[in-house]
Amino acid sequence: MRALFRYQWLLAFQALPATAVDWPSFLARHDLVWDRLPARWGESAFIGNGRLGATIDGRDSAFGWTINRTDVVHDQSRYPIGRVVLKTAGTVTGGTARLVLWDAEASGTVTTDHGELRWRSFTASDPSVIVIVLEGRGGERGADLDWSPAEARPPRKVARKEAFAPEDLHPAPTITRSAEGITSVQPFIGGGAHAESIRRSGRGVFYVSIGYGSDGPAALAEARATTSAAARQGLNRLTVGHRNWWHTYYPASFLSFPDARLEAYYWIQIYKLGAAMRADGPILDLNGPWFNATPWPAIWWNLNIQLTYSPLFRANRLDLAESLFRNLDRNRQALIDNVPERLRGEAAAIGRSSGPDLVRPVDLRAAQSDAAHEMGDLPWTLYYYWLHYRYQMDDRILRDRVYPLLRRAIGNYLAYVERGEDGRWHLPATHSPELATMPDANYDLALLRWGLETLVASAEHLKNDDPLLPRWREILTNLTPFPRDSLGLMVGRGRPWKESHRHYSHLLAVYPLGLISPERLDDRALIETSLATWEREPSLFRGYSFTGGAAMHAWLGQGDTALTRLNLYLDAPRYMEPNTFYAEAGPVIETPLSAATSIQELFLQDWGAALRVFPALPSVWPEAAFDRLRADGAFLVSAVRHSGRTSWVRIESLAGQPCRLVVADWDAAVVRAQTGPAPSLTRVEAGRFVLELAKGASVVLAPDAVTPLPPVSPVALPPSDRRPWPALK
């Protein structure tokens, strides 16, 4: 019997469709390749390790590395650090560059009227150093590096051309040059300092680090210790360790489709996430390790942080999301202290922007500014913390981390809700981000309703007899409906939609919260009307407006419209940079990352407690494939689409949760292969199925018993004369 079972298991295993991805070759088709030297931040090659990074370009007539470290913050503000500059014997006349995604390494040439230099560079993690390797030819055999520090002035005041206060006039750095290398120490008035170490280590090998501490000596000691540790390891060991991390990182999930520009864009964002985040690193703000002149040198909580982290969950890269959630946990007391003292026993909040200490008070009664009336920013962030739990179904995360903080975030709303003459619960005037301050703002009503529903469901799941349960249920039952009129969802009570605007805070109940469902006819009509109203004047949009609109159209199943929105975004010359960076008045990293989320919505959705496979694929993409995308309920989902039809779907259950599956182009489904206990598959109606799958088991479904099961592999791209990125004009 045991032999028979083993034989049957082997047959099932052999029937599983293969995953055939040659990762180095696949990612190589998306490498950024420059046939001339990049000349500025928006053209640069960029490298990073989640904390330390550099943009590499030839700005200001000098080729170099603009370096920065995400957690170097003074007075809640990021600061520029400086540039490691290439010293050549001759005048630079040209060069090339390539960013190899698979190895997370930039390389290239610099030509001068004396000879040529070959260079390569990457950012190692342990120790945290930027590695630069130079090889000179001809008259450039003696090429070296130098240091050009940035002036330490508050970036927000610089951008706004505001006068500096005495405490802004930080002293010049102390720079020391020796045969071993270069050090630089930049102290701040009022305490704190950063320091840089550029260490020569063998012929043409340099290690660069940034130290950060309470004073100059502490920062310098860290910087020197880091480059010394790198020198002891040596170039070969650093290279191997660096590449091992990245070669493990990429295969966590896979996605391919026949659109060269958009597919490359997606994978460059996946690279960007790995270079800008690590589980034990700082929160990724608007700049990350690639700082550039900006009026926004902090963390913004009213859309930016949420969109920044949004692609991680579907992409099966939950470890990177810990860079946000661990910092929320560590700074929970600051979040509590952000509310008035009278509420600190039951509430927590964060205002519009903060430094890494998460200090930014919110008080409806005392504050006069719109920013201090922005109540929903912490609850919106916690929606993604909730996804972090739901995508792995680890009850310890829910019980010990998400639930206590969400309880306080919603407690801040409950301190202000008011019973109206209609018997309903209402919110006083709060601020809908970038729109207006008014009572019953849809932004806050949506977050309050979602938060209450989530708390009730969580308490029931955890068998937690929370004393607030009766109040949560009563407010949920009697909470005022979302304000609406003939144009769809209003901004709030007494505030109709007046003109198109970039921010969709009033539509949060639609996306991403899913409180208003496309499956219900009345709700679908409301979504379509609201979306049409919001999109009337796209000339007023910014990039994230198009990515948000694309996601909402994808939820409606309108893949062609979603693709149009994404292409409008990529075609926006005012904001889109050649290397996929994005800037408005300054760098904002969230918009390109939100585009990756919108692309994911075309392939797999999980709103309404159902997995939807290929729910909104554009009609011009008859071929598509994805592998190990993660979904609500802790499922890993893979699928292949061939000749305009879904060939098969594989679902692996990591937690044994119930599974509702929607594959719109299937009439029926059959089990073609399985691992673990036999699944139960029930057809509800055409395209809709209920699947019971044990924890750790997987199943391959197909529309019938004979459809071939092609492997997950890269989709052929249309012929193209050039690489789509960097899109140099």
Side-chain angles (χ1 to χ4, degrees):
M1 180 64 71
R2 181 176 299 175
L4 176 62
F5 175 80
R6 176 175 172 80
Y7 175 71
Q8 291 173 333
W9 182 87
L10 285 171
L11 284 179
F13 181 79
Q14 290 168 358
L16 290 173
T19 299
V21 180
D22 180 342
W23 281 97
S25 297
F26 171 68
L27 288 176
R29 76 189 197 183
H30 303 317
D31 287 351
L32 287 86
V33 179
W34 294 258
D35 58 9
R36 64 166 174 82
L37 289 181
R40 56 186 179 83
W41 172 84
E43 295 181 357
S44 63
F46 51 98
I47 55 176
N49 66 7
R51 186 186 306 265
L52 176 70
T55 52
I56 307 169
D57 55 41
R59 71 181 73 175
D60 302 326
S61 301
F63 186 78
W65 289 251
T66 302
I67 66 171
N68 213 283
R69 183 172 144 172
T70 306
D71 58 348
V72 173
V73 175
H74 176 72
D75 195 22
Q76 295 196 325
S77 173
R78 297 286 301 280
Y79 271 74
I81 302 293
R83 276 173 63 80
V84 177
V85 180
L86 181 64
K87 292 174 63 179
T88 58
T91 301
V92 174
T93 58
T96 62
R98 183 177 190 127
L99 179 56
V100 177
L101 298 181
W102 176 240
D103 291 336
E105 180 175 299
S107 60
T109 62
V110 175
T111 56
T112 76
D113 55 6
H114 282 53
E116 181 184 78
L117 274 158
R118 292 185 177 181
W119 60 272
R120 69 182 183 97
S121 187
F122 61 91
T123 310
S125 295
D126 185 20
S128 180
V129 293
I130 296 167
V131 178
I132 301 173
V133 182
L134 303 178
E135 179 187 351
R137 296 180 175 185
E140 295 295 351
R141 295 182 186 277
D144 201 356
L145 298 178
D146 201 1
W147 173 244
S148 177
E151 187 177 36
R153 297 291 180 266
R156 194 166 174 85
K157 288 188 175 181
V158 172
R160 294 181 169 188
K161 296 181 171 55
E162 297 175 357
F164 297 128
E167 60 270 20
D168 299 329
L169 302 176
H170 306 291
T174 300
I175 301 173
T176 304
R177 293 175 172 85
S178 67
E180 184 183 74
I182 305 170
T183 62
S184 176
V185 180
Q186 174 64 67
F188 291 114
I189 295 173
H194 65 78
E196 292 67 54
S197 172
I198 304 171
R199 177 170 177 144
R200 298 182 182 90
S201 182
R203 185 176 179 85
V205 178
F206 300 81
Y207 303 122
V208 182
S209 70
I210 302 174
Y212 178 50
S214 58
D215 56 29
L220 182 58
E222 180 191 349
R224 280 178 163 165
T226 303
T227 52
S228 294
R232 287 193 299 272
Q233 268 198 45
L235 177 61
N236 289 340
R237 286 179 61 192
L238 286 172
T239 301
V240 169
H242 170 76
R243 291 181 179 176
N244 284 345
W245 189 93
W246 282 95
H247 297 173
T248 302
Y249 167 76
Y250 281 115
S253 65
F254 173 77
L255 189 154
S256 182
F257 51 98
D259 185 318
R261 182 170 72 155
L262 210 54
E263 185 185 83
Y265 194 86
Y266 178 82
W267 282 102
I268 293 166
Q269 305 322 303
I270 296 298
Y271 163 76
K272 195 180 293 180
L273 288 165
M277 293 182 189
R278 295 295 164 90
D280 59 352
I283 295 173
L284 177 55
D285 58 18
L286 277 75
N287 284 262
W290 309 301
F291 187 88
N292 195 38
T294 180
W296 303 311
I299 303 167
W300 255 257
W301 297 92
N302 60 356
L303 172 137
N304 308 79
I305 200 72
Q306 293 86 352
L307 268 57
T308 293
Y309 280 81
S310 64
L312 294 172
F313 309 98
R314 181 78 70 236
N316 194 26
R317 301 174 201 280
L318 301 182
D319 57 325
L320 299 187
E322 284 287 352
S323 61
L324 172 59
F325 303 132
R326 287 179 186 174
N327 279 290
L328 288 177
D329 295 342
R330 292 188 190 109
N331 292 285
R332 185 178 297 182
Q333 190 58 50
L335 297 172
I336 294 170
D337 292 343
N338 283 336
V339 302
E341 187 173 357
R342 67 183 185 277
L343 303 181
R344 290 176 187 166
E346 59 190 16
I350 194 164
R352 181 175 298 172
S353 64
S354 78
D357 58 7
L358 309 193
V359 174
R360 186 64 184 269
V362 176
D363 186 353
L364 283 190
R365 293 183 182 175
Q368 301 301 315
S369 69
D370 287 340
H373 286 84
E374 218 163 78
M375 296 276 285
D377 299 343
L378 180 58
W380 189 4
T381 305
L382 294 183
Y383 167 75
Y384 291 96
Y385 209 165
W386 169 250
L387 291 188
H388 191 58
Y389 157 67
R390 288 292 306 178
Y391 277 45
Q392 51 194 313
M393 298 302 297
D394 182 343
D395 282 354
R396 294 170 299 178
I397 295 174
L398 177 61
R399 181 181 57 250
D400 301 334
R401 302 173 67 186
V402 179
Y403 183 86
L405 192 51
L406 181 60
R407 190 180 188 273
R408 283 184 166 275
I410 299 305
N412 196 40
Y413 278 131
L414 299 187
Y416 296 102
V417 291
E418 305 163 341
R419 179 83 76 172
E421 293 181 0
D422 59 357
R424 297 278 194 172
W425 289 102
H426 295 266
L427 283 172
T430 59
H431 189 68
S432 185
E434 299 198 5
L435 291 175
T437 299
M438 81 250 79
D440 287 338
N442 269 325
Y443 172 72
D444 289 293
L445 284 176
L447 289 162
L448 174 55
R449 180 171 292 280
W450 169 81
L452 289 170
E453 289 179 354
T454 302
L455 285 171
V456 170
S458 298
E460 292 172 349
H461 175 74
L462 295 171
K463 297 180 172 55
N464 179 353
D465 190 19
D466 197 302
L468 288 177
L469 262 172
R471 188 173 186 223
W472 293 341
R473 291 183 175 124
E474 194 276 330
I475 292 176
L476 255 180
T477 300
N478 296 294
L479 188 61
T480 190
F482 300 120
R484 65 180 74 181
D485 60 13
S486 61
L487 298 178
L489 289 167
M490 302 166 66
V491 180
R493 176 158 47 99
R495 174 60 161 82
W497 187 255
K498 294 181 179 179
E499 64 179 11
S500 191
H501 186 275
R502 61 186 183 178
H503 207 302
Y504 51 89
S505 58
H506 68 301
L507 299 179
L508 230 59
V510 176
Y511 184 83
L513 301 182
L515 301 174
I516 301 174
S517 170
E519 283 196 318
R520 296 187 291 266
L521 290 180
D522 289 349
D523 279 0
R524 186 179 184 89
L526 176 61
I527 295 171
E528 290 176 338
T529 300
S530 302
L531 196 50
T533 298
W534 178 55
E535 292 182 325
R536 278 187 313 199
E537 299 177 59
S539 62
L540 299 176
F541 277 8
R542 298 295 185 268
Y544 66 77
S545 315
F546 292 109
T547 65
M552 287 183 246
H553 283 290
W555 276 29
L556 290 167
Q558 299 167 352
D560 289 343
T561 304
L563 179 59
T564 297
R565 298 294 181 271
L566 287 168
N567 282 326
L568 286 171
Y569 159 65
L570 293 186
D571 291 337
R574 292 183 297 167
Y575 311 116
M576 179 56 58
E577 296 287 358
N579 63 358
T580 82
F581 281 178
Y582 176 90
E584 292 172 13
V588 273
I589 203 170
E590 85 291 320
T591 294
L593 301 179
S594 73
T597 305
S598 301
I599 292 168
Q600 294 167 356
E601 301 285 11
L602 305 175
F603 289 79
L604 180 65
Q605 299 170 13
D606 56 15
W607 54 269
L611 305 185
R612 293 170 167 81
V613 175
F614 295 127
L617 224 58
S619 58
V620 293
W621 296 355
E623 313 289 323
F626 66 85
D627 187 50
R628 295 174 60 82
L629 295 184
R630 192 176 277 253
D632 183 271
F635 297 102
L636 293 177
V637 186
S638 307
V640 167
R641 186 172 178 85
H642 178 62
S643 297
R645 192 184 187 205
T646 303
S647 300
W648 58 265
V649 176
R650 180 173 62 229
I651 301 175
E652 178 183 353
S653 175
L654 304 179
Q657 292 291 301
C659 178
R660 292 171 54 215
L661 177 66
V662 178
V663 187
D665 60 354
W666 285 1
D667 178 66
V670 300
V671 175
R672 295 284 296 273
Q674 67 183 68
T675 62
S680 170
L681 177 66
T682 304
R683 179 184 183 274
V684 178
E685 60 184 22
R688 293 178 177 269
F689 313 93
V690 174
L691 180 66
E692 294 181 12
L693 201 58
K695 180 178 179 179
S698 68
V699 63
V700 176
L701 304 176
D704 51 50
V706 297
T707 294
L709 306 181
V712 173
S713 59
V715 171
L717 296 177
S720 177
D721 293 333
R722 61 178 179 83
R723 290 175 177 271
W725 303 100
L728 296 172
K729 306 300 183 190

